[in-house]
Amino acid sequence: MARTQVAIIGAGPSGLLLSQLLHLHGVDSVVLERQNRAHVAGRIRAGVLEPGTVDLLLQAKVGERMLSERLIHDGFALGFAGKSFRVDLKGLTGDAVSVYGQTELTKDLTDARVEAGAKLLFEAGDVAIDGIDGAHPTVRYTHGGRSHELTCDFVAGCDGYHGVCRRSVPPAAMQNFERIYPFGWLGILADVPPVAHELIYSNHERGFALCSMRSLNRSRYYVQCGLDEKPEAWPDARFWDELRCRLPAPVAEAVTTGPSIEKSIAPLRSFVVEPLKFGRLFLVGDAAHIVPPTGAKGLNLAAADVRVLYQALVEYYRTGREELIERYSEQCLRRTWKAVRFSWWFTSLTHKFSDDPFNHRLQLAELDYLTGSAAALGSLAENYVGLPFEASAAAS
Ligand code: FAD
Ligand code: DHB
């Protein structure tokens, strides 16, 4: 039977980054991914990296291309009541965020892992986990038409919201917290210059809109849509019209339109499982928690979990001490719940929840207050760039 120290399920950003950091610290892992490499590389998802995530990528020695290709954003705009207001992240916090697509990040991580000769298996099917309560869990899976078994010391469940790891835990051992929002985001990618140098989050009585980007000639735009809507019902012309309608007029006039190269709808949800550790199984990233994308926190939270877990595992293999491992759940949940709160709050402030004009008036009043208060802006900015890490987890 094959053996490794850490069996990692899922080759999204969490799984790849964890395996890379463990490798750099002499800890062996095997990564099992259900999809093929092209599928994983092609998923269009997050785009904004907190400085803490950038630091971790540099620690993982996968930051070189990111440093040269990222766009550094010192601020973003809030659109509401026909105007734009710039939130000066740099001035308020001393920090900036980096725009670098998850697609590129995943490619950098995959390349680094493959180059290092990692045991990274794509198209690994029927993953099943046993024995997480003992010292040596086993992972069964199929690959290349054959069944395989892997023994390990720990399992890292990096397999996303729909993965198998969380479902391997007896329901009585965990508590789920969930909020489903009554809308989704319709997103498009288009090879046109972004409408502005920085992101614009726009509150409008017809619903939320976001202007984002992947590069100086690739734009990513989103509009809030109904949960039952289909991308096919949104030909490009309809999307561009709706987007412009929800932006302050000077911004709308400056939008460059063009054919979309990707169009998809994502539902919005908040979800947290507690705890994040069950015996020798850790849940990491989207397997453990989901936030609505409004605060751009999903990928950054996944990286924050990885930061805590790799340090705990490295400490364990170096010294045999389990204190950090035992603190994984509590430490990650503290950060997670703050990001869940921020993402919920930012979503509540910017999205249309009902036709009741009272709600919209309340949002406009809060936006008016926020943009006039240094204290409130400071709170928004410090959450957006990412809250500080606990000292013990921040040391490399
Ligand atoms: P994932 O990226 O989900 O990776 C999990 C991996 O596990 C996948 O490769 C999957 O194929 C694999 N897997 C699943 N089940 C199994 C199994 N049984 N066996 C083996 N492998 C398995 N965040 C933002 O900040 N901004 C955004 O705009 C944004 N947009 C998003 C849009 C969508 C449609 C989704 C789903 C998420 C979005 N997110 C966004 C969230 C962000 O992309 C995630 O937080 C991030 O991908 C988390 O990384 P992860 O590695 O934990 O999980
Ligand atoms: C993007 C997505 C977000 O959720 C966000 O808050 C900012 C940017 C993006 O996909 O570019």
Side-chain angles (χ1 to χ4, degrees), residues 45 47-48 185 199 201 210 212 214 220 222 293-294 296:
R45 288 184 173 178
V48 175
W185 278 16
L199 272 57
Y201 293 84
L210 170 59
S212 182
R214 290 292 174 270
R220 179 79 167 148
Y222 298 94
T294 323

Side-chain angles (χ1 to χ4, degrees), residues 56-107:
L56 194 64
L57 296 171
L58 296 178
Q59 279 179 41
K61 301 196 190 314
V62 287
E64 208 173 305
R65 188 164 74 98
M66 185 248 318
L67 284 185
S68 68
E69 294 183 13
R70 68 174 169 172
L71 303 173
I72 297 177
H73 284 195
D74 288 345
F76 66 83
L78 289 170
F80 65 100
K83 301 169 297 194
S84 291
F85 178 91
R86 181 167 185 268
V87 179
D88 179 6
L89 294 173
K90 187 85 183 180
L92 288 158
T93 67
D95 267 328
V97 293
S98 297
V99 170
Y100 190 69
Q102 182 170 331
T103 325
E104 304 310 310
L105 190 69
T106 307
K107 184 175 180 306

Side-chain angles (χ1 to χ4, degrees), residues 161 176-180 269-272:
Y161 180 70
N176 292 335
F177 301 86
E178 186 163 41
R179 172 152 305 186
I180 311 274
R269 100 174 55 230
S270 302
F271 171 83
V272 182

